[in-house]
Amino acid sequence: MMDDLYNQLNLIAAGIFCYLLALFVPAFYRKPVVTGWNLSMMFQMAGIGFFLAAIVVRWKLAGHGPFIAMFEILLSSTFSLGFVLIVASVYSAAIRKASLTAIVVILVLGFWLLVTRNTIGPLPPTYDNNWLWVHVAVGKIFLGLNLVATSLAAYGLWLSRGGGSQLTQAQRRDIVRLAWAYFLASFVFHSLMLIAGAVWAQDAWGRYWAWDPLETWAFVTWLAMVLLIHVRSAYRFREFWVWIGMLLVFVLAFFTFFGAPFISIAPHKGAV
Amino acid sequence: MMRMFRRLGSMPVALLGMIALLIGALVNNEVAGYSAWLVVVPLGLLSLNLLLAMCFNPRIYRDQALLLFHAILSLMVVLMALGQLLYFQGNLELVAGQMMDSNDIRVLKRGPLHRLKLDYMEIIQGPYSVDYVPRNYRQKTFSQLQVNRGNQTPTVLVAGDDIPAVINGYRFYTTSNKGFSTLLRWESDAGDSILGSINFPSFPAREWAQRQTWVTPAGQPLLLRLKTNKRSNLERDWTLSDKNLQGVLEVSLEGSALSLAQGEGIKLTGGRLVYQSLSMWMGYKISYDPVLRWLFLAAVFAVAAMAWYLFRSQTVVFRSLKHDG
């Protein structure tokens, strides 16, 4: 048991190391290794592999998926965020250029993992439900897509402050459009996450919505996205403010995923 | 009048409603003692705004996907309001072998238009089992409920914490609240006989406190202690069920105590108390919301309409990814 836990932490440390390499290697070597893949992406891929292996070890130890403890949620998120980022990077050179913020966020989660209590508990009966899988899966896709949008937004913000002088006007416009497209896609998945969560809550606790802290913060994130979509569609704001809005939405989403469930005494966890 | 409607259906009002709802939801959740009106009023304003925007905003009513999305959102608001009018939520304790009496349901929430529809059928508690893993972590519960509807063949439904037994639209969920129940018979000196059950505190949560006070029909207060052959196990997996269940009932009055085995009785003031049998009780959470299914369908269609609108507007961007990569 202790050996397995030790192996799991080693795998996580190896994953973090790969992401550190992925973060710093573009400073020295930017050329593509194969079409659509640069060296940073290769290291990211290796990091994802290590995180996946750590999830497998954890799953074997706990006998259930990574749904309950903070450690498990951080671990599954490092994998899912990395996975969505790499898929998006394969399809777009702009995302490859803008992936710095996303890699930093994944690294923050990775280091957070190393200092989080690594205890294993049984799966509560209310978590043994197929809708939980749907809820978690679409939630991970939402956060992944939103992270890509945020990464592009941070890149756009840097550009708007005078960075990337070699980029053409068309390339800059593409980054705006791409960030917005990912933001909208993440909004669809956020909506699906709320629906799947409501169905699960109905089965688990006999109510589909109860304004518990996690539900409230998820709704607030959704509402902030609705607000930004309406503002952008109705008014002509400078792109700078749209970038700021997208970053704020990610901060809200990040708090919903990794803050709200663990600072309150009665989130979903309390209803177990 | 039309000008006012246009204003109410305008984008600034929508944004105002969203900001008010956002603040209301946060304040209502984070600061104790605030009223639900902080959420209800902005929701009402947004519903009105939505309805008027569909009539007066050409950007919405000229676009099929956008119109469909906003129309379904309005429908969802109506469904949720209807659900609140018809909603029912309650708690119930049922003893194995006992037929449910709807008067025993402790009502927690009841919509003004709700009429209880559980009276014209028999619901009888069957046996149940609850699985535990070490340290008394509760796992799956399987509780049988037999439903007799007039001349129809009785059906047996299984309820759990996560899977409800749905009876006439009412969803019966088991809870962690369950334990032992003694069936007692009171035979008065006048020759009357009354049968009733006494539920002991939840097991194993209050394993150490299996006692209950009771006053006989003749007015004599008693302290009842139950000692069963069931024990929780902190070290390994175990299952709580009525299999081989046995127990002794200790009756204490005025400083003295007497242990009764099943079938034995004790002479008290005004009559005789007989400990007839030992069984188990289960606590249920009952909820009823007839719009649930429709609400789910509406939500799915709303997301589909929204996705249709958003992806249609972003097709060019996503197509460009192929060339970009």
Side-chain angles (χ1 to χ4, degrees):
Chain A
M1 174 83 168
M2 287 312 289
D3 281 352
D4 287 336
L5 284 173
Y6 184 68
N7 288 341
Q8 184 191 355
L9 287 175
N10 279 343
L11 288 167
I12 292 166
I16 292 171
F17 184 67
C18 288
Y19 267 92
L20 280 172
L21 290 173
L23 183 69
F24 291 114
V25 86
F28 308 105
Y29 192 83
R30 280 178 178 272
K31 287 178 191 165
V33 180
V34 286
T35 313
W37 287 80
N38 58 29
L39 200 54
S40 173
M41 288 168 69
M42 295 289 192
F43 284 122
Q44 286 177 52
M45 202 60 211
I48 292 168
F50 282 119
F51 289 139
L52 179 62
I55 290 175
V56 172
V57 172
R58 176 79 182 187
W59 204 312
K60 226 177 92 183
L61 280 173
H64 58 73
F67 303 124
I68 306 171
M70 182 60 156
F71 185 88
E72 292 169 352
I73 291 169
L74 286 171
L75 179 57
S76 58
S77 296
T78 49
F79 167 75
S80 62
L81 294 181
F83 184 75
V84 174
L85 176 65
I86 205 82
V87 172
S89 298
V90 169
Y91 284 98
S92 167
I95 294 171
R96 286 198 286 279
K97 281 193 194 114
S99 59
L100 179 84
T101 309
I103 293 174
V104 169
V105 170
I106 293 167
L107 274 169
V108 167
L109 294 181
F111 283 115
W112 190 355
L113 249 176
L114 292 179
V115 294
T116 303
R117 254 182 87 194
N118 185 1
T119 50
I120 292 177
L123 191 74
T126 46
Y127 278 58
D128 192 8
N129 184 304
N130 291 338
W131 279 100
L132 171 68
W133 287 85
V134 181
H135 174 60
V136 169
V138 289
K140 300 278 188 207
I141 297 172
F142 151 69
L143 199 64
L145 294 172
N146 200 265
L147 180 65
V148 173
T150 304
S151 223
L152 284 161
Y155 188 56
L157 205 58
W158 177 67
L159 293 178
S160 70
R161 303 278 91 182
S165 52
Q166 77 282 7
L167 289 183
T168 63
Q169 207 56 39
Q171 283 173 314
R172 285 166 187 264
R173 200 180 53 240
D174 280 352
I175 286 162
V176 175
R177 288 163 61 189
L178 197 57
W180 193 245
Y182 270 93
F183 184 79
L184 293 179
S186 77
F187 177 63
V188 171
F189 279 94
H190 193 297
S191 307
L192 288 173
M193 180 184 79
L194 291 184
I195 295 171
V199 178
W200 169 45
Q202 179 64 46
D203 276 348
W205 304 300
R207 88 294 188 283
Y208 61 87
W209 194 268
W211 295 105
D212 77 21
L214 194 49
E215 286 168 353
T216 302
W217 280 100
F219 179 70
V220 164
T221 307
W222 185 84
L223 206 55
M225 295 179 91
V226 173
L227 202 61
L228 189 59
I229 291 168
H230 278 80
V231 166
R232 191 178 187 263
S233 69
Y235 303 102
R236 289 241 155 253
F237 275 106
R238 279 176 52 211
E239 284 304 336
F240 173 82
W241 293 110
V242 179
W243 298 135
I244 294 291
M246 287 168 75
L247 292 173
L248 285 176
V249 164
F250 184 75
V251 170
L252 276 176
F254 192 87
F255 179 74
T256 302
F257 271 71
F258 307 111
F262 300 98
I263 57 164
S264 168
I265 53 163
H268 285 351
K269 212 171 74 159
V272 168
Chain B
M1 191 70 168
M2 293 299 269
R3 216 170 128 190
M4 193 181 78
F5 282 160
R6 274 180 206 282
R7 269 197 187 160
L8 272 173
S10 67
M11 181 62 85
V13 173
L15 298 179
L16 188 76
M18 285 175 204
I19 293 168
L21 182 58
L22 201 144
I23 295 169
L26 279 177
V27 172
N28 200 35
N29 189 259
E30 298 298 326
V31 185
Y34 274 87
S35 159
W37 289 106
L38 282 175
V39 174
V40 173
V41 171
L43 262 180
L45 177 69
L46 278 173
S47 309
L48 184 66
N49 169 266
L50 194 65
L51 213 62
L52 293 169
M54 281 191 296
C55 303
F56 294 109
N57 187 338
R59 238 184 122 177
I60 294 179
Y61 66 70
R62 280 184 192 152
D63 189 304
Q64 284 178 342
L66 215 51
L67 181 63
L68 187 64
F69 170 63
H70 285 89
I72 297 173
L73 267 189
S74 305
L75 178 69
M76 283 175 69
V77 173
V78 173
L79 284 174
M80 278 190 261
L82 193 65
Q84 289 302 306
L85 293 174
L86 296 168
Y87 192 72
F88 177 85
Q89 196 179 20
N91 286 336
L92 174 71
E93 288 177 11
L94 266 181
V95 178
Q98 180 193 329
M99 193 167 78
M100 189 194 88
D101 180 348
S102 60
N103 293 320
D104 291 340
I105 298 175
R106 194 162 68 90
V107 179
L108 299 176
K109 276 184 191 172
R110 184 180 195 153
L113 298 183
H114 182 83
R115 300 283 172 271
L116 200 65
K117 295 184 291 179
L118 286 168
D119 279 336
Y120 58 88
M121 64 183 79
E122 292 177 0
I123 300 169
I124 301 163
Q125 175 65 49
Y128 69 79
S129 67
V130 186
D131 295 333
Y132 284 87
V133 293
R135 295 171 65 195
N136 277 353
Y137 279 115
R138 194 164 54 90
Q139 298 291 289
K140 286 275 181 189
T141 299
F142 302 94
S143 180
Q144 292 184 17
L145 287 169
Q146 185 182 314
V147 183
N148 302 334
R149 287 187 178 91
N151 297 329
Q152 294 177 24
T153 316
T155 48
V156 176
L157 303 170
V158 178
D161 276 20
D162 53 336
I163 299 169
V166 184
I167 304 169
N168 227 16
Y170 291 83
R171 300 162 80 90
F172 285 67
Y173 293 92
T174 57
T175 65
S176 60
N177 208 20
K178 77 266 170 232
F180 303 111
S181 181
T182 50
L183 189 65
L184 303 178
R185 194 175 66 243
W186 173 256
E187 297 165 351
S188 75
D189 290 344
D192 302 331
S193 178
I194 308 167
L195 201 62
S197 59
I198 290 181
N199 294 350
F200 283 78
S202 187
F203 186 92
R206 301 195 64 206
E207 186 175 0
W208 45 273
Q210 294 296 302
R211 55 177 176 262
Q212 196 66 278
T213 52
W214 182 62
V215 180
T216 67
Q220 190 175 14
L222 301 177
L223 176 65
L224 306 173
R225 284 175 203 276
L226 185 66
K227 291 173 184 168
T228 70
N229 58 344
K230 297 283 178 181
R231 298 280 176 275
S232 65
N233 194 325
L234 293 170
E235 305 297 326
R236 59 180 74 153
D237 295 358
W238 63 285
T239 299
L240 175 66
S241 72
D242 63 358
K243 199 175 169 188
N244 303 322
L245 175 64
Q246 287 179 341
V248 174
L249 183 68
E250 192 181 275
V251 183
S252 302
L253 70 161
E254 291 155 10
S256 63
L258 183 74
S259 289
L260 301 178
Q262 288 180 48
E264 289 181 346
I266 178 175
K267 179 72 185 88
L268 298 165
T269 310
R272 180 179 152 78
L273 179 70
V274 179
Y275 167 35
Q276 195 145 316
S277 63
L278 177 63
S279 60
M280 299 180 78
W281 64 271
M282 171 56 77
Y284 287 95
K285 193 166 53 186
I286 306 171
S287 68
Y288 177 84
D289 190 343
V291 302
L292 269 185
R293 197 168 298 169
W294 299 108
L295 201 55
F296 171 70
L297 278 176
V300 171
F301 278 112
V303 174
M306 182 174 63
W308 174 22
Y309 171 73
L310 296 179
F311 284 106
R312 198 187 53 197
S313 64
Q314 302 300 317
T315 313
V316 182
V317 183
F318 283 112
R319 276 199 186 141
S320 71
L321 290 178
K322 288 176 189 164
H323 310 294
D324 190 16

